[in-house]
Amino acid sequence: MHEDGNGDGRHVAGQLTPSGADQEFLALERELTVLLRRARASQGEMAREVHPDLESAAYGLLVRLDEHGGHRATELAAYIGVGKATMSRQLRALEELGLVAREPDPADGRAWLVALTAEGRRRVGKVREARRARYVSQLAHWDRQEVAELARLLHELNGVMDK
């Protein structure tokens, strides 16, 4: 291993630092931290665009319902990564705003499914279209294959993080 010459114990790219991580993974951690911070802020903005009183996590919940239809509250809590009490509170708020409704689960009459209402679907669709337009504008100078590769890699990363 060769030191980078600044005497702080770090090493050149591809070689381990004293903490055991190489520079590529340190750079990855730094960029993911920035990306996730920006994503959380953006999610809050999108939730408020759907309705000014929504918590930021509610947007991801609404998108999940839009893409996959009705879910049980416990499934939604696991997907979002929150507890049952938090999910119940969020669902109650969304129901009061007329964005979701509960309906009996045809597979189990004792259980309920949560689904988007027509108004919820309309509002989520409007925000998603605005977000897509923003991405198209921001990535207009990228080659289409680069955009597809980014989407593929992010999909792969999301799959790994779900495990």
Side-chain angles (χ1 to χ4, degrees):
M1 280 194 238
H2 299 90
E3 291 201 24
D4 66 1
N6 66 9
D8 68 1
R10 290 181 294 155
H11 298 84
V12 295
Q15 296 184 2
L16 298 181
T17 65
S19 68
D22 64 34
Q23 293 300 318
E24 287 81 7
F25 277 95
L26 291 175
L28 174 65
E29 186 275 336
R30 186 173 42 253
E31 293 304 319
L32 282 174
T33 300
V34 171
L35 178 67
L36 293 173
R37 188 176 328 122
R38 287 178 175 168
R40 268 188 237 109
S42 177
Q43 189 174 25
E45 292 169 16
M46 289 181 283
R48 286 185 293 281
E49 287 178 35
V50 172
H51 192 281
D53 296 333
L54 286 185
E55 295 179 28
S56 62
Y59 181 75
L61 174 65
L62 294 171
V63 168
R64 179 71 174 186
L65 292 171
D66 187 41
E67 290 179 349
H68 299 284
H71 278 65
R72 290 184 181 182
T74 53
E75 295 168 336
L76 292 170
Y79 174 75
I80 300 295
V82 299
K84 286 170 48 177
T86 299
M87 182 54 58
S88 292
R89 180 176 43 78
Q90 285 186 354
L91 290 175
R92 195 170 30 257
L94 291 170
E95 203 167 15
E96 289 172 4
L97 295 171
L99 302 175
V100 301
R102 296 173 198 248
E103 51 194 46
D105 184 346
D108 181 352
R110 301 167 295 164
W112 293 87
L113 294 177
V114 178
L116 283 179
T117 62
E119 177 63 11
R121 197 170 297 103
R122 184 188 71 74
R123 288 189 185 200
V124 168
K126 182 179 169 186
V127 172
R128 290 185 90 182
E129 285 302 317
R131 184 182 63 189
R132 285 185 192 124
R134 188 174 73 210
Y135 291 153
V136 166
S137 172
Q138 291 170 335
L139 300 175
H141 67 283
W142 284 36
D143 181 272
R144 298 294 287 184
Q145 289 180 315
E146 290 176 326
V147 174
E149 180 67 1
L150 176 60
R152 185 190 70 75
L153 291 170
L154 289 172
H155 178 75
E156 191 174 319
L157 179 61
N158 280 326
V160 169
M161 295 177 93
D162 284 344
K163 293 179 183 175

